[in-house]
Amino acid sequence: TYKIRKGIKWYTSEGEEYANVTAKDFVTGLKHAADSKAGGIYLVQDSIAGLSDYLSGTNKDFSNVGVKAIDDYTLQYTLKQPEPYWNSKTTYSLLFPVNEDFLKNKGKDFGKSTDPTSILYNGPFLLKSLTAKSSIELVKNEHYWDKKNVHFDAIKFSYYDGSDQDALVRGFTDGAYNFARVFPTSSNYASVEKKYKDNIFYTEPGASTSVIGVNI
């Protein structure tokens, strides 16, 4: 059982207040993920009671699924079995809230467009623009409940497809990026190391593995 912070609002991409964020929005969000067969729904389908049956069609009534809005600010999940790691799953986008009224108004256009108006916002940033294979730009949400601890007015993500490793350093040198990944195996690494030697930092090694199969 979770208590939802009171006073949190939904805003449009233009920063206009739309509605209060309530426990019901989390129920709507999970139902939308289930109905749209979200790619990651398997992560919670065997955790939440009744969800697997709803997805298979054995049960067609979502009210039988183990997620309930007890009141406007009390949200309750019923799990199939104890999961010590359940709290970490609540950070998955699958369990993010969705405003039911906005979802109905947008219909099939909800969240499926590069248009910033296709979703609502309640976090520290609003989507300003999204251009496929180019950039994503965010601006600070001036109505965010904890805006005093949001220290960026805007963020821009630039698209990089990995085909030209040297492009990142060129962009950094030209001022397009505020940081760039460098590759010791790249053709210009010697000159990069000479120019930025005191500002090259090594990240911690990760535990992931990769496999490449070559068909000869």
Side-chain angles (χ1 to χ4, degrees):
T1 301
Y2 300 90
K3 289 293 183 181
I4 307 304
R5 185 185 300 274
K6 294 181 180 180
I8 306 302
K9 309 285 185 181
W10 286 111
Y11 295 94
T12 67
S13 58
E14 298 298 319
E16 298 175 349
E17 184 179 320
Y18 189 91
N20 290 316
V21 177
T22 67
K24 181 182 177 183
D25 297 333
F26 291 83
V27 179
T28 300
L30 181 59
K31 186 176 186 300
H32 172 66
D35 291 343
S36 59
K37 298 294 190 291
I41 195 69
Y42 70 92
L43 293 168
V44 295
Q45 78 173 65
D46 289 322
S47 299
I48 301 172
L51 182 56
S52 185
D53 286 341
Y54 182 80
L55 290 168
S56 68
T58 304
N59 163 46
K60 300 182 184 300
D61 185 357
F62 192 78
S63 66
N64 293 323
V65 176
V67 57
K68 300 284 186 293
I70 305 303
D71 57 42
D72 283 349
Y73 298 102
T74 307
L75 175 69
Q76 185 181 79
Y77 292 97
T78 301
L79 305 184
K80 289 176 65 175
Q81 63 275 321
E83 281 191 14
Y85 44 83
W86 168 255
N87 277 340
S88 66
K89 288 190 175 183
T90 63
T91 64
Y92 294 166
S93 57
L94 287 164
L95 301 182
F96 283 4
V98 173
N99 179 273
E100 185 177 34
D101 177 67
F102 185 82
L103 178 63
K104 288 179 178 178
N105 288 338
K106 285 295 180 180
K108 293 182 179 179
D109 292 330
F110 175 77
K112 294 186 177 180
S113 167
T114 56
D115 182 356
T117 66
S118 68
I119 58 172
L120 291 178
Y121 306 80
N122 61 36
F125 293 95
L126 307 176
L127 179 62
K128 180 180 179 182
S129 67
L130 191 163
T131 304
K133 295 187 177 182
S134 177
S135 65
I136 299 174
E137 295 186 62
L138 308 173
V139 295
K140 185 176 180 178
N141 178 3
E142 294 297 340
H143 304 288
Y144 182 57
W145 71 274
D146 195 26
K147 69 176 184 178
K148 71 178 186 299
N149 287 316
V150 180
H151 305 296
F152 293 93
D153 293 327
I155 297 174
K156 181 179 180 180
F157 297 97
S158 297
Y159 177 77
Y160 171 64
D161 65 5
S163 62
D164 181 2
Q165 292 183 347
D166 299 339
L168 295 177
V169 174
R170 289 199 303 271
F172 175 79
T173 301
D174 294 341
Y177 313 134
N178 62 345
F179 72 93
R181 183 178 180 184
V182 294
F183 300 85
T185 55
S186 63
S187 60
N188 71 339
Y189 183 72
S191 61
V192 171
E193 186 177 37
K194 183 178 180 180
K195 185 172 183 177
Y196 297 111
K197 183 168 67 172
D198 294 335
N199 292 294
I200 295 177
F201 301 91
Y202 290 86
T203 57
E204 291 186 18
S208 61
T209 59
S210 300
V211 177
I212 296 177
V214 181
N215 182 9
I216 301 177

